[in-house]
Amino acid sequence: MTATSALAANHSKDPAAVRAAARRLLTELPGPRSRELEAERRQHVTDAFGVTLPVFIDHAHDALLVDVDGNHLIDFASGIAVTSVGAANPKVAKRAAAQLERFTHTCFMVTEYESFVEVCRWLNEHTPGDFEKRTALFTTGAEAVENAIKVARAATRRANILVFDEAYHGRTQLTMAMTAKENPYRLNFGPLPGSVFRAPTAPAHTSPDGPAKALEKIEAILAEHGAETFAAMVIEPIQGEGGFIVQAPGFLKGIREIATRHGIVLVIDEIQAGMGRTGTLFASEHEGIAGDITLSAKALGGGLPLSAATGRAELMNAVHTGGLGGTYAGNPVACEAALAVFELLEDGKLLKNATFVENAVRRRLEPLVELDGVADVRGRGAMMAIEFRDASGPRGDLAVTAAKAANAHGVLTLTCGTNGNIIRLLPPLGIEADVLDEGLAVLEASIRSVLS
Ligand code: PLZ
């Protein structure tokens, strides 16, 4: 390819042309146009929003993001586990566009539309749990969490909530109190709502003896405050922001049993790990458990804002009529996008590819665990992470420097964990083998460069 045709390909919005070029850096990152826009951004947008890589995106195709300078980035972030079917999936675009032309909004509490019901039906049929279900749709993940608590409190007439170490459930007042990490999520924002208690977990990578101790401690915390005062226990099946923590075998089953024993509503927050991310539709399937309420968001709407609480019919119907809702809850454009996501997931190829991603990541990154500074490679499916730690403790500095190096070379990666010492990989589920491999090669080189 000549330099001119490479440039033409980079500026083309034709998917074939974008794909043919794969990762390509025409400028340093951020490029000149991104830098201009960033200066504008600093003039007009609050500084309170952080940014991983100050690059402005023009368009996308599969696992590639094309910026305003024509650079092609390999996307290992998916907008934080949202664009699991790709950031420009034609099926999502087609259904959403058709809906945009029909009508954009009625408010489901004013007049109804079929796609809302169809999304609820699909979720009732596909979320774990062999019982009759009902679903409520909302807009953001935090809103789904908030509403699950409202349902649990109304149904049990109890107030307290049990959450876990390293948990992330959102940024609203209540979900901020449920989230574990102080900085940046809670700092300076108090006083936080009460009635939220925190319990330990049994991470597989630090619990060689299994979950028994943690489960005992949970029982002790419930006993101390009165198990009969707890409305809900809320847990992510694989913790996301907290560090891609897979629990020791049996821990989630143990939580399930404790909740049942005390009549506490078990809320499984599948907002990051669900919708095919781990190679099954829901991550709780790996543990053979079902929540009384299961929460979906992020990948559910294929990039459009949509969230859901799906639970036992008797719980979801325990709230008085008019007690749940929201102007934009289950927006029709987002519902159409979700129906496209369901079609794509049902096909099965994306789920299979998520498992392919796990194997490729393990093959490439597990050998690095022998190096001083790399402690662990973990995760499931297309939700994988590498943890940096040495004898001195967590090494957030290594994770951040390696992630920044990968970002600068056009491989968009995120960090996570209470100590920021984990690089997480969340590519679109359908990422092609060669793109994945190229991204992993860059990431490996970035990690090796900071360790040497
Ligand atoms: N529950 C498990 O992962 C969102 C947060 C990004 P919202 N995670 C990304 C940030 O820094 O704000 C998340 C999650 C789990 C709930 C949420 C909240 O979902 O759609 O961001 O409200």
Side-chain angles (χ1 to χ4, degrees):
M1 202 186 270
T2 64
T4 346
S5 68
L7 261 174
N10 274 298
H11 286 288
S12 166
K13 292 188 170 69
D14 170 30
V18 172
R19 177 62 197 91
R23 182 180 67 109
R24 185 183 299 273
L25 299 181
L26 299 179
T27 70
E28 62 174 346
L29 291 179
R33 182 62 188 140
S34 275
R35 280 202 298 271
E36 278 172 18
L37 290 170
E38 183 63 14
E40 282 286 300
R41 181 253 204 238
R42 292 293 153 197
Q43 288 298 308
H44 301 295
V45 181
T46 168
D47 284 339
F49 275 62
V51 63
T52 302
L53 179 64
V55 153
F56 285 73
I57 299 304
D58 181 75
H59 59 283
H61 179 66
D62 287 343
L64 295 173
L65 301 175
V66 181
D67 77 6
V68 288
D69 292 292
N71 299 303
H72 292 199
L73 315 182
I74 293 177
D75 185 8
F76 279 181
S78 298
I80 324 190
V82 170
T83 52
S84 291
V85 299
N89 188 290
K91 286 197 166 145
V92 172
K94 200 169 162 205
R95 283 196 82 134
Q99 180 58 44
L100 276 169
E101 298 214 334
R102 291 169 59 218
F103 60 89
T104 54
H105 173 86
T106 67
C107 184
F108 194 73
M109 300 180 303
V110 177
T111 55
E112 302 175 319
Y113 38 92
E114 189 173 348
S115 55
F116 189 114
V117 181
E118 284 300 304
V119 170
C120 293
R121 183 213 306 273
W122 192 94
L123 287 169
N124 292 343
E125 286 172 1
H126 290 86
T127 44
D130 191 14
F131 41 76
E132 198 182 336
K133 302 185 194 104
R134 294 290 185 275
T135 289
L137 299 182
F138 304 100
T139 309
T140 67
E143 220 187 342
V145 177
E146 292 261 356
N147 279 282
I149 300 304
K150 284 165 74 171
V151 168
R153 283 179 169 165
T156 61
R157 305 292 159 116
R158 303 170 175 183
N160 287 337
I161 306 162
L162 193 73
V163 294
F164 293 87
D165 287 345
E166 321 296 346
Y168 184 91
H169 298 294
R171 290 178 182 267
T172 57
Q173 293 290 332
L174 178 62
T175 60
M176 177 168 65
M178 296 167 66
T179 289
K181 189 174 176 178
E182 184 66 18
N183 189 356
Y185 304 121
R186 302 152 49 111
L187 187 69
N188 302 331
F189 297 140
L192 301 178
S195 306
V196 178
F197 297 86
R198 197 171 302 283
T201 58
H205 62 289
T206 53
S207 312
D209 300 333
K213 255 209 196 116
L215 292 170
E216 262 172 48
K217 181 80 186 143
I218 292 163
E219 282 284 17
I221 291 169
L222 290 175
E224 184 185 349
H225 302 283
E228 69 282 7
T229 66
F230 283 82
M233 298 168 64
V234 188
I235 191 155
E236 301 153 83
I238 296 178
Q239 291 177 311
E241 305 301 308
F244 278 36
I245 301 168
V246 179
Q247 299 300 331
F251 177 73
L252 284 152
K253 267 220 164 85
I255 294 277
R256 174 67 276 180
E257 283 164 19
I258 291 173
T260 305
R261 192 174 321 128
H262 298 294
I264 300 171
V265 176
L266 179 61
V267 179
I268 307 277
D269 179 346
E270 293 257 11
I271 287 167
Q272 188 154 162
M275 300 310 295
R277 176 54 54 189
T278 66
T280 50
L281 280 180
F282 292 91
S284 38
E285 292 171 43
H286 296 288
E287 313 289 339
I289 61 151
D292 300 305
I293 298 176
T294 297
L295 306 179
S296 307
K298 291 193 181 274
L300 171 64
L304 281 90
L306 185 67
S307 66
T310 303
R312 290 181 184 275
E314 65 273 22
L315 290 175
M316 298 301 294
N317 287 337
V319 177
H320 53 283
T321 298
L324 301 182
T327 305
Y328 293 111
N331 168 271
V333 182
C335 283
E336 287 292 332
L339 293 173
V341 168
F342 297 159
E343 277 174 39
L344 289 158
L345 289 175
E346 274 174 6
D347 168 271
K349 277 194 214 121
L350 289 179
L351 298 184
K352 248 200 213 128
N353 207 57
T355 306
F356 174 83
V357 170
E358 172 171 349
N359 293 333
V361 171
R362 288 193 184 280
R363 247 190 337 268
R364 174 70 75 162
L365 298 185
E366 273 175 353
L368 302 184
V369 176
E370 281 163 26
L371 305 175
D372 190 31
V374 179
D376 192 33
V377 171
R378 61 173 175 264
R380 274 199 178 117
M383 184 173 185
M384 298 297 295
I386 178 163
E387 175 170 354
F388 296 81
R389 176 187 295 276
D390 60 19
S392 71
R395 292 292 304 270
D397 57 324
L398 295 177
V400 169
T401 316
K404 276 200 160 57
N407 290 341
H409 287 94
V411 177
L412 189 57
T413 53
L414 303 170
T415 56
C416 64
T418 300
N419 300 296
N421 63 323
I422 291 146
I423 294 179
R424 56 173 152 170
L425 306 181
L426 290 164
L429 304 183
I431 188 169
E432 287 156 302
D434 56 338
V435 179
L436 175 64
D437 201 54
E438 187 179 354
L440 289 173
V442 170
L443 179 62
E444 179 186 348
S446 306
I447 293 171
R448 286 190 185 277
S449 73
V450 305
L451 293 175
S452 57

